Amino acid sequence: MIKEFTKQKIDLFNVCVIIPTYNNCKTLRRVIDGVLLYTKNIIVVNDGATDTTQEILKEYPQVQQIHLPKNKGKGNALRVGFVSAQKQGFKYAITIDSDGQHFPEDIPAFITALEKSENKNILLIGARNMSQESVPKKSSFGNKFSNFWFWVETGTKLQDTQSGYRLYPLEELAKLNFYTSKFEFEIEVIVKAAWSDVIVKNIPIQVLYDETERVSHFRPFKDFTRISILNTWLVTVAFLYIKPRNLFRKVKKKGVKRFFFEDFLESQDSPQKKALSVALGVFIGVSPLWGFHTVLVLFLAVVLKLNKVIAFAFSNVSLPPFIPFIVFMSLKVGSFVLGESQPSFTNIGENFEMIKSLKTYIVGSFTLAIISAFTIGILAYVFLIIFYKKNNAS
């Protein structure tokens, strides 16, 4: 009954199942047979297998097959499958690994989650129980590592970001550009989907790690290096473009006044956390670290668990109209701290392009940043306390 119900829903939502496979002859037949119980909408992508995969697939003439002449990686196989599925008019694709670790019986869980979701622009990732004894420790560590960087890059916390058992929205994927072709693709695709306002969430699934039949093609050094390079690039893009873009979109959508009240005054963070976020933003904004303000303030806000929106907003105290004043005041403060003769405002134009005393400027800039951050942070804290007391009294 459940299987028939799932078949109907799969057809209703126009879902197919993509099975990328490479040298998994021990488990491939079991996976295909399991999926066929729920749907005939199957695309098997043979990624240049050199074992008996091709002979096994001859037993399934009813299943669509794509045979790649050479192994190019799981990411490439998935991308080939996505293109084929979309050309055939499918709206969603469930991907399941052919190494036997996933259970086809969990397909109904993906369909149910899709049906219950109000927003159908969704990407579902099967969350494995990584704490069970059969899970290799290196897999558990790798998953935690991946989860952390996904959170840094998108602001979304997930339990499992490495599971290959997923449901993808094909129309949204077709709008995105991808550059990876191996295991790291599964990280690139969920990060870029999240950046494009696709809901990315986990649903619980079963998992089986049978070392007697499971064949893993993950190469620890090469693939971990590829993943690390990809995460470095994604973090850079997130801090330099995505997070500022999202903030400006939010301000534009709400308007400055509404943004100030809802995201600054009425957010759930405590007055202390908000004031510290203000202080961090001001410190970075006044500091002489030009060109790195956005990256630094967002990175430190994440590390220190402060409000990223508030910190970023106040880091913009160094807007172009204020830069000459900040530079001049930094020189003044630096001269005072070092006991040197203070520059006059009349020659600031001459010194702006080529500061005569870089040491004076740097010392003064950091000193000014500390004083400004402390002063404005205290004022922000007092203001917030007064605001909350008035609100509670009313």
Side-chain angles (χ1 to χ4, degrees):
M1 189 69 180
I2 294 177
K3 292 174 183 176
E4 288 302 320
F5 178 78
T6 302
K7 287 179 181 179
Q8 294 174 10
K9 293 297 181 181
I10 285 176
D11 291 335
L12 176 65
F13 289 111
N14 223 347
V15 181
C16 71
V17 177
I18 297 175
I19 308 175
T21 186
Y22 175 64
N23 290 354
N24 286 124
C25 61
K26 291 182 180 180
T27 52
L28 178 59
R29 186 181 285 106
R30 185 175 80 227
V31 174
I32 296 176
D33 289 341
V35 175
L36 279 170
L37 295 175
Y38 297 94
T39 182
K40 292 181 180 179
N41 303 336
I42 302 175
I43 302 173
V44 177
V45 183
N46 172 15
D47 189 23
T50 57
D51 58 1
T52 59
T53 291
Q54 201 146 358
E55 286 69 31
I56 293 172
L57 291 177
K58 289 178 181 179
E59 302 172 17
Y60 299 93
Q62 75 276 37
V63 172
Q64 182 185 345
Q65 302 170 24
I66 300 175
H67 295 273
L68 302 179
K70 186 178 180 181
N71 175 252
K72 291 187 177 180
K74 185 181 181 183
N76 179 70
L78 288 172
R79 290 167 65 175
V80 169
F82 293 151
V83 171
S84 176
Q86 192 177 32
K87 285 181 179 178
Q88 296 176 60
F90 291 109
K91 300 297 182 184
Y92 298 92
I94 293 176
T95 60
I96 181 171
D97 292 345
S98 62
D99 61 2
Q101 70 165 296
H102 300 147
F103 289 75
E105 301 94 281
D106 284 324
I107 288 177
F110 286 93
I111 302 302
T112 300
L114 175 62
E115 183 180 25
K116 290 183 177 179
S117 177
E118 291 184 11
N119 189 340
K120 302 303 182 187
N121 187 18
I122 190 169
L123 193 161
L124 300 171
I125 304 175
R128 303 159 294 176
N129 180 5
M130 302 301 288
S131 62
Q132 63 187 57
E133 291 183 5
S134 62
V135 177
K137 289 184 178 180
K138 61 181 180 181
S139 296
S140 180
F141 170 79
N143 190 51
K144 290 178 181 178
F145 179 83
S146 179
N147 295 346
F148 170 77
W149 286 114
F150 180 77
W151 170 66
V152 171
E153 291 151 4
T154 67
T156 300
K157 288 187 177 182
L158 293 179
Q159 178 186 343
D160 191 344
T161 54
Q162 289 194 320
S163 171
Y165 208 173
R166 304 177 177 188
L167 180 143
Y168 290 97
L170 294 174
E171 290 182 354
E172 290 302 317
L173 295 193
K175 300 174 185 177
L176 305 175
N177 294 318
F178 301 109
Y179 302 99
T180 57
S181 61
K182 299 188 184 299
F183 284 105
E184 70 272 19
F185 169 76
E186 290 184 299
I187 296 173
E188 182 186 17
V189 65
I190 60 174
V191 171
K192 289 187 174 179
W195 287 351
S196 300
D197 299 322
V198 174
I199 297 172
V200 182
K201 62 183 293 187
N202 284 136
I203 62 168
I205 61 167
Q206 308 169 75
V207 65
L208 173 66
Y209 280 92
D210 187 343
E211 296 301 329
T212 62
E213 63 177 12
R214 180 173 178 265
V215 178
S216 174
H217 303 292
F218 186 86
R219 300 162 299 178
F221 179 76
K222 286 187 177 181
D223 289 316
F224 186 77
T225 300
R226 289 176 182 273
I227 291 171
S228 298
I229 293 172
L230 174 64
N231 277 320
T232 300
W233 169 246
L234 292 175
V235 167
T236 303
V237 174
F239 284 143
L240 286 179
Y241 174 67
I242 299 298
K243 293 182 185 295
R245 179 205 67 180
N246 291 346
L247 175 62
F248 285 123
R249 281 181 179 177
K250 186 181 287 188
V251 174
K252 185 178 179 180
K253 182 178 180 180
K254 293 185 175 182
V256 175
K257 184 177 180 181
R258 182 183 164 196
F259 173 81
F260 177 75
F261 279 96
E262 291 185 1
D263 292 77
F264 179 63
L265 293 180
E266 297 178 3
S267 72
Q268 298 303 309
D269 292 327
S270 66
Q272 295 93 328
K273 188 172 183 178
K274 289 179 181 177
L276 286 171
S277 302
V278 169
L280 173 64
V282 172
F283 175 79
I284 295 297
V286 177
S287 72
L289 306 169
W290 305 104
F292 298 95
H293 285 173
T294 298
V295 176
L296 283 171
V297 76
L298 291 174
F299 176 75
L300 290 173
V302 168
V303 171
L304 299 174
K305 297 182 179 180
L306 299 177
N307 189 305
K308 297 185 290 295
V309 173
I310 295 175
F312 175 76
F314 277 85
S315 71
N316 285 284
V317 294
S318 56
L319 290 171
F322 304 115
I323 292 176
F325 175 75
I326 292 175
V327 172
F328 176 73
M329 287 303 299
S330 296
L331 287 169
K332 283 277 190 181
V333 172
S335 298
F336 176 79
V337 171
L338 297 175
E340 300 175 349
S341 58
Q342 297 186 13
S344 64
F345 191 78
T346 55
N347 64 11
I348 188 65
E350 299 174 7
N351 293 336
F352 186 71
E353 291 294 330
M354 185 66 70
I355 299 174
K356 292 180 178 179
S357 178
L358 187 60
K359 178 183 176 182
T360 302
Y361 167 69
I362 292 176
V363 169
S365 183
F366 276 115
T367 304
L368 181 65
I370 293 171
I371 295 171
S372 301
F374 181 79
T375 303
I376 297 176
I378 291 293
L379 291 174
Y381 179 73
V382 172
F383 170 79
L384 289 166
I385 291 295
I386 295 171
F387 175 81
Y388 284 129
K389 283 184 177 180
K390 285 185 178 180
N391 272 13
N392 292 334
S394 59

